[in-house]
Amino acid sequence: MQLSGKQVLPAAPPKIWALLMDPDTLVRLVPGITNLEKVGDNRFKSVFDIKLGPVRGSFTGNLQLEDITENKGYLLKLQQNSKIGNASAVVKIGLVPVGDSQTELDFDGDVKLSGLLASMGQRVIGGVANTLTKQFFHNLEKELEKPVSA
């Protein structure tokens, strides 16, 4: 399954970059993440709780960031396992400045599903992916509105 999206955000790349590189912030940004624990340089143990149509599952696995270029992007690799199936993803995340105070965040990647997840059908999975993408961008915009603490 292809996963892609983009949106122009009201902040310069360094501000968005700081949010995307902070594990505590990522837990608030990415729908479904309930725990992200650092286990090495740019490597994390992750827990996702997600509902796909009538199926609910808790996934545990690994999340890794590679090909990191500060303030520009990285490659996110994800491997998650659960009783209802497994998911793996490779997603390229990029930041492109738009003027002085805006940034286009784009992502493009491939998700592979197995088990019950794979049998649910593209329509259900695609709808959930679109909803999660909208939630991510909404959460990111809310995070950008927060006042900067001194």
Side-chain angles (χ1 to χ4, degrees):
M1 174 178 72
Q2 198 65 25
L3 186 64
S4 62
K6 64 181 173 179
Q7 185 162 327
V8 175
L9 300 162
K15 184 172 184 178
I16 295 170
W17 181 257
L19 296 175
L20 294 178
M21 293 302 288
D22 178 47
D24 294 332
T25 303
L26 281 177
V27 170
R28 292 191 303 270
L29 295 179
V30 180
I33 289 185
T34 56
N35 188 34
L36 199 56
E37 177 186 330
K38 189 169 186 158
V39 294
D41 284 346
N42 303 310
R43 289 185 16 242
F44 304 88
K45 180 179 172 187
S46 56
V47 177
F48 283 83
D49 288 324
I50 200 151
K51 185 174 187 289
L52 298 168
V55 178
R56 184 180 300 265
S58 183
F59 296 81
T60 58
N62 300 302
L63 184 148
Q64 188 168 331
L65 307 179
E66 296 180 355
D67 300 332
I68 298 170
T69 304
E70 189 171 348
N71 295 327
K72 293 188 189 259
Y74 53 74
L75 191 66
L76 183 144
K77 291 186 175 181
L78 182 70
Q79 177 62 50
Q80 298 293 121
N81 304 304
S82 79
K83 292 178 181 177
I84 61 169
N86 302 322
S88 64
V90 177
V91 181
K92 178 72 178 161
I93 297 173
L95 300 176
V96 178
V98 179
D100 292 335
S101 60
Q102 292 184 318
T103 302
E104 181 180 271
L105 185 152
D106 64 70
F107 62 91
D108 186 38
D110 189 44
V111 179
K112 291 181 178 39
L113 304 172
S114 65
L116 180 59
L117 291 175
S119 68
M120 292 186 64
Q122 183 66 33
R123 206 177 96 218
V124 171
I125 303 276
V128 170
N130 287 338
T131 299
L132 295 176
T133 297
K134 287 176 186 173
Q135 286 176 351
F136 169 79
F137 282 121
H138 175 76
N139 294 347
L140 183 53
E141 286 185 347
K142 280 178 44 181
E143 198 70 30
L144 288 169
E145 291 171 1
K146 288 183 178 179
V148 178
S149 55

